[in-house]
Amino acid sequence: MRAGTVVDSRSEIREHPDPEPAKGELLVRVRAAGLNKADTMQVQGFYPAPPGSPPDIPGLELAG
């Protein structure tokens, strides 16, 4: 999958392995994405990733 990735306090698009959902989780296909203020703060190092989330891929919410 391609994902916005935190690299040296900036965001780049990089390839990552497809995620594997755990029991009780869903895998959602994303067609478009954006960043909110918390995501940009995470990129800058001012906001930690949620527990269990990849620290280099911002994205705290989803709609659709």
Side-chain angles (χ1 to χ4, degrees), residues 3-31:
T5 307
V6 179
V7 180
D8 298 326
S9 298
R10 65 184 202 289
S11 184
E12 295 182 359
I13 303 297
R14 292 208 172 168
E15 288 290 328
H16 292 270
D18 288 342
E20 295 287 333
K23 185 176 180 176
E25 294 181 338
L26 297 173
L27 183 61
V28 178
R29 182 179 302 223
V30 176
R31 298 180 94 179

Side-chain angles (χ1 to χ4, degrees), residues 31-58:
R31 298 180 94 179
L35 297 176
N36 65 24
K37 184 63 177 175
D39 296 326
T40 59
M41 290 177 64
Q42 182 180 340
V43 170
Q44 296 169 345
F46 298 119
Y47 197 92
S53 296
D56 62 338
I57 301 177

